[in-house]
Amino acid sequence: MQAKHQVQASQSRQAEVARLLLQANLAYGESNSPSMSFVQRLKARQECRDYLTKALATEPNNAAALGLLGRVEMDEGNHEKAHTLFNASLDQQPAQAQQYCNLGYWAIKTERPALAEQYFIQALEYDRQSAAAFCGVAHAKRLQGQFDVAYLHYRKLLEMGMA
């Protein structure tokens, strides 16, 4: 009987964390919506942070919550905190193309285009169809002055209907 209760409690916690992550993702989308006012976007970002805080209080090592919180931190200019969160997410779930893309954009924000390219390539190893990673490689190439290679990447994105 005790084991059944523990399983039900665990499933209930997992469902709650999933619900909070869904709400956090919706709020994060609103925080980046150009149709929202600046104040509305800031409120949505705070709402996202609140959902993530609750999710992480329930499940401290949730890879998705750690990664999304990293995005929030990066949006707020807290680059080192974002870097730490992206890596913590990868520690929990190593094969996440999205977190390698996040690290790639972190590297671009911190003016490390060669490192960014490495992260984007690693993301493509996990997801060959990742438009974000493919586009990230193009951005990194452009920032490294390899305009011809960047152009080819951008053109390929357009041909594939990904841009």
Side-chain angles (χ1 to χ4, degrees):
M1 188 67 159
Q2 174 105 13
K4 183 178 179 182
H5 184 297
Q6 287 176 342
V7 168
Q8 287 174 337
S10 176
Q11 288 174 337
S12 178
R13 279 193 306 275
Q14 288 175 339
E16 176 64 9
V17 169
R19 182 187 65 75
L20 290 166
L21 283 172
L22 180 61
Q23 290 177 304
N25 274 292
L26 291 171
Y28 185 73
E30 288 179 6
S31 78
N32 287 303
S33 173
S35 66
M36 306 284 267
S37 73
F38 179 71
V39 171
Q40 289 172 314
R41 290 194 313 267
L42 288 178
K43 283 178 72 175
R45 186 180 300 148
Q46 184 57 50
E47 186 179 334
C48 175
R49 182 184 288 280
D50 292 344
Y51 287 129
L52 292 170
T53 300
K54 289 176 186 173
L56 288 167
T58 303
E59 192 177 317
N61 295 322
N62 184 285
L66 290 167
L68 185 54
L69 186 55
R71 289 296 311 201
V72 171
E73 292 294 348
M74 194 160 69
D75 289 351
E76 293 180 353
N78 302 322
H79 297 136
E80 291 312 308
K81 197 168 188 179
H83 183 256
T84 299
L85 288 162
F86 297 147
N87 281 311
S89 178
L90 284 169
D91 288 344
Q92 297 307 310
Q93 190 177 340
Q96 296 180 75
Q98 180 61 50
Q99 295 317 321
Y100 284 106
C101 283
N102 286 341
L103 284 166
Y105 285 111
W106 166 83
I108 284 175
K109 287 264 193 189
T110 58
E111 300 179 9
R112 300 172 187 157
L115 179 60
E117 181 182 355
Q118 291 174 11
Y119 282 132
F120 291 125
I121 289 170
Q122 196 155 5
L124 286 169
E125 288 178 17
Y126 292 112
D127 181 3
R128 301 298 292 156
Q129 301 299 314
S130 173
F134 199 80
C135 190
V137 171
H139 290 325
K141 291 289 190 187
R142 179 180 51 84
L143 291 171
Q144 293 175 77
Q146 297 176 16
F147 301 110
D148 53 341
V149 179
Y151 169 78
L152 293 173
H153 274 77
Y154 289 130
R155 189 174 78 186
K156 184 70 171 175
L157 278 168
L158 288 171
E159 288 171 0
M160 295 169 54
M162 296 173 127

